[in-house]
Amino acid sequence: MKKGFYILLMMLTGSHLLFAQKFEGLAQTPPMGFNTWNTFQTNINEAMLKNMVDAYVSSGMRDAGYQYFVLDDGWMAMERDHDGNLVADPKKFPYGMKAFADYVHAKGLKFGIYNCAGTLTCAGYPGTRGYEYQDARLYASWGVDYLKYDWCYTDSINAREAYTTMSKAIKAAGRPMVFSLCEWGNHQPWLWAKNVGHLWRTTGDIFAGFDGKKSNGSWSALGVTTILDMQGKIRQYAGPSHWNDPDMLEVGNGMSYDEDKAHFSLWCMLAAPLMAGNDLRKMTAQTRGILTNKAVIAVDQDALGIEGFKYTELNGVDVWVKPLVNGDIAVCFLNRSATASQAINYDWKTHAINDTISGMHIDFGTVAYTFTDLWNKGRSGNTNAIFKTTLSAHEVVMLKLSKK
Ligand code: GLA
């Protein structure tokens, strides 16, 4: 009797939410969308962004599965109003943020916004520290569906507490929002953020280069394979509704076609959130072809939600493997060389796969698989034969294997 009473009380007061404060069911597969930062930084305004929203739809991005339109840093006025509310920059958003959110929603998309756990955002706009519940209520009133929450100007505050507070504030505001943690992996969010948010950055910022680092003075941005190589030991912490985020896409922002294709393929192998970061109004057909390749996207969005892993490296070629539903597998070969092409002669039968994390064990000596090439629809084959191909510098070949 007493026990029943307490259970009823917990349900009524919502204290059972202490253990699972985030909204569930919002990111069963990695979130897909567009974010303003990689191309525009803080140079955004409503007129330009409306064109971007239109291009999002007309280019086929929405139909390919992209859903969120996210404003990154720079949308705010420099000061809160006299009630302490954040204000959209009146020059950039003359009709206010609710009007822009309505425009995004009217196109069948979801709307995302950015702020920071510190006193200021990374670009120096008002941060949320001390205003968590008030800001969450404001976002809910605007119809925000996704919040990216950064980590600048945080002094010595505790990351887990700061992100938990914002997560609870979103829950209390009552509107379901995907919560994207952006503290660059500094405090190992994969160990504690599963119930706090839906995705967490694992590294510092990406730049549109295939490898190395780019110095920005006090910090360095990271190339695609630099980030790739940092993902190794944390794949067991990702899964439906809680994803490792190796940062937004740089496809269409200056790398070669092969590099863009490799970047996109590998992010899909990692079950990464797919946030396009290019100017959707000016996409080339090649860029659009990469971002909207549904067969490759399906690997990212696979319902098992298992992050892929680097199986081996052979003569400068990475071999990545990702278990998929129904016992299928994605395999991606990447030529790491920036200058030399590389021949592949891959004998499946000498490359059994034993993945303790997903429990996938395959001996191609006893079970044959057929495969299709996800970038080159004309190519198919089976694992009884040696797989032969040649990869140009920084090129990938990505295969989907199914049991015969
Ligand atoms: C940080 C984040 C970026 C971007 C900028 C905005 O660097 O990691 O993704 O949001 O701040 O100022």
Side-chain angles (χ1 to χ4, degrees), residues 2 4 46 49 64 71 96 131 148 153 162 243-244 247 258 353 362 400:
K2 229 176 173 182
E46 190 198 83
L49 291 168
L71 303 186
Y131 293 90
K148 173 176 170 182
Y153 299 99
W243 305 101
N244 288 323
D247 205 1
D258 280 339
I353 301 172
I362 298 172
K400 183 179 169 187

Side-chain angles (χ1 to χ4, degrees), residues 355-375:
D355 178 27
T356 46
I357 286 168
S358 68
M360 187 183 71
H361 302 286
I362 298 172
D363 176 358
F364 294 105
T366 53
V367 193
Y369 283 65
T370 56
F371 66 77
T372 52
D373 182 331
L374 301 183
W375 290 109

Side-chain angles (χ1 to χ4, degrees), residues 151-279:
W151 189 244
C152 283
Y153 299 99
T154 45
D155 305 318
S156 56
I157 61 172
N158 177 289
R160 183 175 185 168
E161 283 173 14
Y163 282 97
T164 301
T165 301
M166 195 62 209
S167 179
K168 287 181 176 171
I170 293 170
K171 196 71 186 267
R175 183 178 172 91
M177 290 178 211
V178 169
F179 188 37
S180 158
L181 285 71
C182 179
E183 58 72 78
W184 319 308
N186 289 3
H187 306 88
Q188 301 178 292
W190 44 89
L191 297 181
W192 49 261
K194 187 176 177 186
N195 295 325
V196 176
H198 303 87
L199 60 157
W200 47 75
R201 282 275 296 280
T202 56
T203 69
D205 289 8
I206 195 169
F207 76 99
F210 203 68
D211 35 37
K213 296 184 180 184
K214 190 177 97 181
S215 171
N216 287 314
S218 59
W219 61 281
S220 291
L222 310 171
V224 165
T225 51
T226 309
I227 290 182
L228 183 71
D229 292 339
M230 292 165 77
Q231 305 309 306
K233 297 198 168 61
I234 55 175
R235 63 183 281 255
Q236 66 270 33
Y237 300 110
S241 204
H242 53 283
W243 305 101
N244 288 323
D245 175 8
D247 205 1
M248 304 175 291
L249 296 168
E250 292 283 14
V251 174
N253 286 344
M255 286 184 284
S256 73
Y257 174 66
D258 280 339
E259 290 172 339
D260 274 353
K261 218 173 74 175
H263 170 29
F264 192 71
S265 302
L266 290 157
W267 262 227
C268 291
M269 294 299 287
L270 290 173
L274 299 177
M275 302 303 270
N278 57 310
D279 188 339

Side-chain angles (χ1 to χ4, degrees), residues 264-334:
F264 192 71
S265 302
L266 290 157
W267 262 227
C268 291
M269 294 299 287
L270 290 173
L274 299 177
M275 302 303 270
N278 57 310
D279 188 339
L280 303 178
R281 300 167 304 174
K282 299 178 185 161
M283 270 197 283
T284 63
Q286 279 191 335
T287 297
R288 189 167 59 236
I290 293 173
L291 290 172
T292 62
N293 182 324
K294 288 188 182 175
V296 175
I297 291 172
V299 170
D300 181 78
Q301 296 289 302
D302 182 78
L304 275 189
I306 293 175
E307 185 171 323
F309 60 98
K310 183 165 157 175
Y311 168 72
T312 190
E313 191 174 334
L314 303 164
N315 304 320
V317 173
D318 275 13
V319 184
W320 286 75
V321 169
K322 183 180 194 282
L324 305 172
V325 284
N326 301 324
D328 293 350
I329 322 157
V331 180
C332 184
F333 299 85
L334 162 68

Side-chain angles (χ1 to χ4, degrees), residues 60-186:
M61 291 286 285
R62 185 186 66 184
D63 291 343
Y66 295 83
Q67 221 184 353
Y68 294 93
F69 190 94
V70 182
L71 303 186
D72 207 283
D73 209 348
W75 60 266
M76 293 171 235
M78 281 308 203
E79 303 288 339
R80 290 173 180 268
D81 70 12
H82 59 273
D83 295 321
N85 286 317
L86 292 167
V87 185
D89 181 328
K91 288 207 187 75
K92 293 176 176 172
F93 295 91
Y95 303 101
M97 197 51 83
K98 174 77 169 64
F100 182 66
D102 289 348
Y103 191 85
V104 172
H105 287 142
K107 299 282 175 172
L109 298 171
K110 292 188 167 164
F111 179 57
I113 213 161
Y114 160 100
N115 209 320
C116 184
T119 48
L120 298 173
T121 72
C122 295
Y125 295 83
T128 287
R129 184 170 175 187
Y131 293 90
E132 291 83 359
Y133 283 76
Q134 183 170 358
D135 288 357
R137 284 195 300 272
L138 182 68
Y139 302 149
S141 77
W142 286 344
V144 168
D145 306 297
Y146 182 113
L147 176 66
K148 173 176 170 182
Y149 203 55
D150 215 339
W151 189 244
C152 283
Y153 299 99
T154 45
D155 305 318
S156 56
I157 61 172
N158 177 289
R160 183 175 185 168
E161 283 173 14
Y163 282 97
T164 301
T165 301
M166 195 62 209
S167 179
K168 287 181 176 171
I170 293 170
K171 196 71 186 267
R175 183 178 172 91
M177 290 178 211
V178 169
F179 188 37
S180 158
L181 285 71
C182 179
E183 58 72 78
W184 319 308
N186 289 3

